[in-house]
Amino acid sequence: MSHYLQINGQRLIDSLFALGECGALEGGGVCRLAATAEDKAGRDFVVARMKALGLAIYIDAIGNVTGVYAGEEALPMVMMGSHIDTVGTGGLYDGNYGVMAGLEVIATLLEAGIRPRRPLAVTFFTNEEGVRFQPDMMGSVVFAGEYPLDAALAAKDLDGVTLDEALCEIGYKGACRPGDLSVDSYVELHIEQGPILDKERIDIGVVTGVQGISWQEFTLTGVSNHAGTTPMNMRHDAGLAAAKIAVYARELSLTLGGDQVSTAGHMVFKPNLINVIPNHVVMTVDLRNTDNETLKLAEQRLAEFVARTSQEEGVEITSRSLVRFNPVIFADEIVNAVEDEAKRQALSCRRLPSGAGHDAQFMASVCPAGMIFVPCVDGISHNVKEHSEAKDLIAGANVLLQVVLQRAQRAE
Ligand code: HGY
Ligand code: MN
Ligand code: MN
């Protein structure tokens, strides 16, 4: 009987639009940075939905929130989840979709009077995006015991506010110890955030793992001087040095090829004036690869280029690692279950790694974990134009429903 069970598609779509009201941007999109008032509004919205479903709610010391639908037996739970914080120019689906689809799965089971053997849970993790506080995937990396709670709570935003203060301010610094839940397996439903499924017209992405991520911050100090009177060979132009690093990062990825990608996403000049040679730049470089050895090679070559540039331009350059996560391979039992279920539902599917970081990459060290992707139009994400078709969102949620239900009926 449960194999013919389907989620309520319209209710899922409506819930995504309703959550999108929290931190809605003029003209579309969402800005719901971690532990801001907008994030609180989103958290309150989801917690209210969890309470309406009668879930037991656990909030831990890093602000992760888990709603649990009790099973027939007190066995380790099957967890669904993702995040509801967004980047500053976010869309309706990145993260939010996995959380709201998880609640929709539980609502569907409740309506059908189905209580699985194992408990089912939906979790949203704190600060997955890592935009306001670093590192990213902060809630899940702390939940997995791979990053110290105190260090995470001490992380400061650009205004010097700590995550600890921000969580207290929004009332989401919980009493539970992160990771204190007994989890059998974790399945995260997410939009692909890349172009492959959309371009190849494929319904379901069977995610094999997640790329390794290296985030570095560089601080460049040169000499500010007059833009008109300073001869070119007497300049110590921090802005030029930063631009050379950004261009080199791109060239490095093209040279290494394969899955290597690089992004210079943040660059702040001082004094940032049209007729003054910049003497101070803070910039970031995001390097990623599915292969750890190549990622290490990319980091090494970038470091060598930075040292050379510092020498050539007479600009002091210091670096700080903000994030360094190894690539992750998901558990065969979850990957195969996702693929089998997509095929059973006569959905086209293909295996692929995730280019974006996800909470699942840390849950993979807690229990067997995996992800289900659905297409997003033109592969656009981290952009207010992020969009996924309702039919794809509903198909993904129906695969999630069956995968987690099968896992939750297992005895051992
Ligand atoms: O950066 C990432 O890949 C994720 O969206 N935090
Ligand atoms: Mn995400
Ligand atoms: Mn994201």
Side-chain angles (χ1 to χ4, degrees):
M1 190 279 272
S2 61
H3 256 171
Y4 299 98
L5 209 52
Q6 302 245 312
I7 60 120
N8 179 326
Q10 195 51 53
R11 185 169 57 193
L12 170 62
I13 303 302
D14 291 348
S15 70
L16 285 165
F17 278 83
L19 176 54
E21 288 305 308
C22 305
L25 290 169
E26 243 346 80
V30 181
C31 176
R32 209 164 49 231
L33 300 188
T36 56
E38 295 78 15
D39 187 27
K40 171 176 174 46
R43 286 166 170 263
D44 292 349
F45 172 84
V46 177
V47 168
R49 291 265 170 148
M50 289 178 167
K51 287 180 176 163
L53 292 171
L55 307 188
I57 294 170
Y58 302 90
I59 304 176
D60 70 22
I62 190 84
N64 297 323
V65 178
T66 298
V68 182
Y69 176 48
E72 292 293 354
E73 299 168 34
L75 289 167
M77 63 184 75
V78 175
M79 183 184 277
M80 299 170 277
S82 197
H83 60 94
I84 63 166
D85 65 301
T86 74
V87 294
T89 53
L92 289 179
Y93 308 101
D94 175 2
N96 308 306
Y97 170 47
V99 174
M100 300 319 290
L103 293 181
E104 176 52 37
V105 162
I106 292 177
T108 302
L109 294 174
L110 265 169
E111 280 169 346
I114 296 175
R115 185 171 294 278
R117 183 192 296 262
R118 293 172 178 275
L120 269 182
V122 179
T123 296
F124 60 83
F125 293 100
T126 294
N127 187 35
E128 188 277 347
E129 293 295 0
V131 167
R132 185 182 175 197
F133 303 99
Q134 287 83 35
D136 58 347
M137 281 78 79
M138 192 184 258
S140 48
V141 71
V142 168
F143 184 96
E146 294 190 21
Y147 194 87
L149 171 62
D150 294 347
L153 291 172
K156 286 188 178 170
D157 69 7
L158 292 177
D159 299 324
V161 175
T162 65
L163 176 61
D164 196 349
E165 290 159 344
L167 284 173
C168 291
E169 175 73 21
I170 66 168
Y172 276 92
K173 185 178 177 188
C176 299
R177 198 171 61 83
D180 236 4
L181 298 170
S182 172
V183 188
D184 162 78
S185 42
Y186 176 81
V187 186
E188 180 166 352
L189 177 61
H190 207 288
I191 57 171
E192 179 200 339
Q193 298 183 288
I196 296 169
L197 298 178
D198 185 51
K199 224 164 56 183
E200 297 181 9
R201 295 259 171 274
I202 289 179
D203 301 319
I204 296 291
V206 181
V207 190
T208 52
V210 181
Q211 288 196 107
I213 300 179
S214 161
W215 281 3
Q216 290 183 77
E217 178 189 78
F218 295 99
T219 302
L220 300 90
T221 309
V223 177
S224 74
N225 215 324
H226 195 295
T229 58
T230 313
M232 294 311 284
N233 64 1
M234 290 177 65
R235 295 181 180 218
H236 301 290
D237 184 339
L240 175 89
K244 287 172 80 171
I245 291 169
V247 169
Y248 179 79
R250 157 69 70 94
E251 286 164 357
L252 180 59
S253 292
L254 299 179
T255 309
L256 292 173
D259 288 334
Q260 186 59 47
V261 290
S262 59
T263 312
H266 173 89
M267 196 178 280
V268 178
F269 281 34
K270 280 184 185 160
N272 205 26
L273 302 171
I274 188 165
N275 58 355
V276 179
I277 298 169
N279 68 327
H280 187 272
V281 180
V282 177
M283 68 179 287
T284 59
V285 174
D286 175 326
L287 298 172
R288 307 197 192 197
N289 201 306
T290 50
D291 175 80
N292 209 29
E293 291 315 306
T294 314
L295 183 56
K296 282 190 223 166
L297 178 62
E299 288 171 312
Q300 183 199 326
R301 291 215 183 140
L302 179 64
E304 288 161 0
F305 179 81
V306 166
R308 272 201 312 278
T309 303
S310 173
Q311 197 68 33
E312 287 161 6
E313 300 299 333
V315 168
E316 185 206 315
I317 305 177
T318 60
S319 70
R320 180 165 75 103
S321 171
L322 299 175
V323 163
R324 181 54 170 93
F325 297 140
N326 289 336
V328 164
I329 302 292
F330 288 139
D332 283 344
E333 58 190 292
I334 306 291
V335 175
N336 296 337
V338 170
E339 191 168 57
D340 295 347
E341 187 53 36
K343 289 178 178 167
R344 203 192 60 74
Q345 296 192 27
L347 295 164
S348 57
C349 62
R350 63 157 281 176
R351 293 186 175 217
L352 76 169
S354 171
H358 297 287
D359 295 308
Q361 74 191 86
F362 293 104
M363 288 308 289
S365 64
V366 174
C367 60
M371 296 187 75
I372 306 165
F373 275 172
V374 297
C376 51
V377 175
D378 297 333
I380 291 175
S381 185
H382 283 192
N383 179 316
V384 296
K385 293 192 171 23
E386 177 184 281
H387 180 67
S388 281
E389 301 300 345
K391 70 170 180 57
D392 293 328
L393 295 167
I394 294 166
N398 279 319
V399 172
L400 177 71
L401 164 65
Q402 295 298 339
V403 167
V404 298
L405 187 53
Q406 285 154 31
R407 296 234 20 119
Q409 296 298 33
R410 289 162 38 257
E412 78 293 348

